[in-house]
Amino acid sequence: DPQTGKLGETLIAHSRGPISWSPDGSKLLSLVVGADNPIGSAVRVHDLASGKTLNLGDQYPGLFTHFTWAPDSRSILATTFEATRSKVVQIKLDGHVNTLAQLDGEAHDLALDASSQRIAVALSSPERPSDIWTLTPSGETTAITRINPQVADWTIGDVREVSWTSTVDGRTIYGVLVTPPGYDGKAALPTVVQIHGGPEWAWWSGWLGSWHEWAQMLATHGYA
């Protein structure tokens, strides 16, 4: 609204990411800071004809990270971060969120082809740094790049998700346990705990072998 600036205030001032037009030009999509949860992101779709803004996925128990319109402008494809892994979900304009694929790792971006038959995601997995993967409607994932081929020859630790119950409020807390290559679980290990203090983002069940994520370096030197 050029008079009040209401749309700009809602979708721009509080936006966490780019504002995108629907393919048919009738709607605007944005991730905004949640009113009740300033750490999380809320999905907002503004219909230009009616002037109404749809609040989508506010109660969904996951963090929306990237999104793109479906070619028919009737739904949105998004990646979410849940526990310690990413998912690809479909957000319908009636508010329903359907899981399309559970990914073994952390997704960084996504795109959809014009036929809606393939989704591309930038995804790291426990065994390899980020590559481009394609996802079919049946949920089958295929890597189409190998940006760091040398990693295939490395001996790395096992990565698995663990969880426990908070003694403060009873909530489930998730973490990632990385153990040395070939560890059989019988012997006690020296253990390093790397706490993610927040309030934003988390450790993930993906690639943990960079200058910032060094759990694999510790694991290959005998630590859990």
Side-chain angles (χ1 to χ4, degrees):
D1 186 331
Q3 301 278 323
T4 65
K6 184 178 180 181
L7 175 59
E9 179 183 352
T10 301
L11 292 183
I12 297 175
H14 302 288
S15 177
R16 277 188 180 271
I19 296 171
S20 62
W21 288 96
S22 61
D24 65 6
S26 67
K27 303 174 186 70
L28 288 168
L29 165 67
S30 180
L31 287 182
V32 300
V33 178
D36 300 324
N37 180 10
I39 296 173
S41 296
V43 180
R44 297 291 180 262
V45 172
H46 184 78
D47 185 279
L48 298 178
S50 67
K52 295 180 179 180
T53 298
L54 302 175
N55 300 344
L56 304 178
D58 284 15
Q59 304 305 313
Y60 185 74
L63 176 67
F64 295 106
T65 53
H66 302 89
F67 57 82
T68 187
W69 281 100
D72 62 5
S73 302
R74 298 172 64 181
S75 65
I76 299 152
L77 278 295
T79 53
T80 70
F81 191 76
E82 302 178 34
T84 66
R85 292 182 174 87
S86 292
K87 286 184 179 181
V88 177
V89 300
Q90 177 193 44
I91 307 170
K92 295 188 175 181
L93 298 186
D94 63 5
H96 285 85
V97 181
N98 302 319
T99 297
L100 300 182
Q102 300 192 43
L103 305 174
D104 188 19
E106 181 203 16
H108 304 281
D109 205 348
L110 86 162
L112 180 68
D113 73 358
S115 68
S116 300
Q117 294 303 302
R118 286 198 304 174
I119 300 168
V121 293
L123 174 70
S124 80
S125 72
E127 296 80 23
R128 61 200 284 177
S130 291
D131 277 300
I132 304 302
W133 296 68
T134 58
L135 176 70
T136 65
S138 64
E140 180 181 352
T141 55
T142 303
I144 61 173
T145 65
R146 191 82 194 198
I147 299 172
N148 294 278
Q150 72 279 7
V151 173
D153 298 324
W154 295 359
T155 301
I156 59 175
D158 178 66
V159 178
R160 63 185 176 95
E161 181 180 284
V162 295
S163 65
W164 61 95
T165 301
S166 168
T167 57
V168 176
D169 57 14
R171 296 190 183 203
T172 301
I173 301 174
Y174 295 91
V176 180
L177 177 64
V178 185
T179 50
Y183 177 61
D184 60 9
K186 296 179 180 179
L189 293 174
T191 301
V192 176
V193 179
Q194 189 175 9
I195 300 171
H196 195 289
E200 294 190 56
W201 212 230
W203 291 122
W204 53 86
S205 297
W207 182 248
L208 296 168
S210 78
W211 66 274
H212 181 261
E213 296 89 42
W214 28 267
Q216 284 292 355
M217 185 273 289
L218 292 170
T220 54
H221 284 73
Y223 293 87

